[in-house]
Amino acid sequence: QVRLVESGGGSVQAGGSLRLSCAASGYWNYLGWFRQAPGKEREAVASIFRTGDSTCYSDSVKGRFSISLDKAKNTMYLQMNSLKPEDTAMYYCAAKSSLGGSCLGGFASWGQGTQVTVSS
C-alpha cells in the first residue's frame, strides 16, 4: 500500500515560486502531481518515473514547473516558478504502480493535498 504525504503549499504573489514535496512509501513506478481548483475537474500537472530520469508535464505548466525525485529519501518535489493566479488549486501527490498507458494517467493512490494560492 502506498502512503503519500504532501507539504510545501502556501500563498504567493503572481510571479513568485513555491516548492511542493511529497514523501512516498510503498511500491510505485510513477509519482505525479495533480491539481484541482474549486468548481473544476482535477488536472494532471507532471509525473516522474521511479528512476528519476523520465518526466512529463502538462502543457499548462511546461517551462514553469519542474518535477524531481530524491530516490534516497523517496521524496518527490515540484518546483513551481512564474506562478500565475490560475495555478491556484489544491495540489495532490499521486502514485501508480503500472508501467503502461499515458505518463499522466492511471494514478490510483492519492495524498491528502496541499493548497497553493497565487494572488494577482
Side-chain angles (χ1 to χ4, degrees):
Q1 186 172 349
V2 180
R3 182 168 182 263
L4 304 166
V5 180
E6 304 100 330
S7 60
S11 297
V12 65
Q13 289 193 326
S17 299
L18 281 174
R19 189 177 81 155
L20 305 182
S21 300
C22 172
S25 61
Y27 177 77
W28 48 270
N29 278 305
Y30 289 89
L31 292 178
W33 288 101
F34 292 73
R35 64 186 183 186
Q36 188 167 21
K40 295 189 176 181
E41 292 189 357
R42 186 174 61 202
E43 174 191 16
V45 174
S47 74
I48 189 165
F49 187 55
R50 58 181 167 80
T51 58
D53 59 359
S54 177
T55 61
C56 66
Y57 298 88
S58 68
D59 289 343
S60 61
V61 306
K62 202 172 292 183
R64 298 188 299 123
F65 291 11
S66 177
I67 192 170
S68 61
L69 180 66
D70 185 330
K71 290 182 285 184
K73 295 181 179 179
N74 263 356
T75 299
M76 172 181 63
Y77 303 96
L78 185 69
Q79 178 65 44
M80 305 185 293
N81 299 326
S82 302
L83 282 161
K84 305 175 182 180
E86 51 263 45
D87 294 318
T88 294
M90 184 70 80
Y91 282 70
Y92 296 92
C93 173
K96 87 173 182 178
S97 58
S98 65
L99 292 172
S102 162
C103 61
L104 293 177
F107 286 78
S109 300
W110 300 88
Q112 81 286 354
T114 186
Q115 179 68 37
V116 171
T117 302
V118 185
S119 57
S120 57

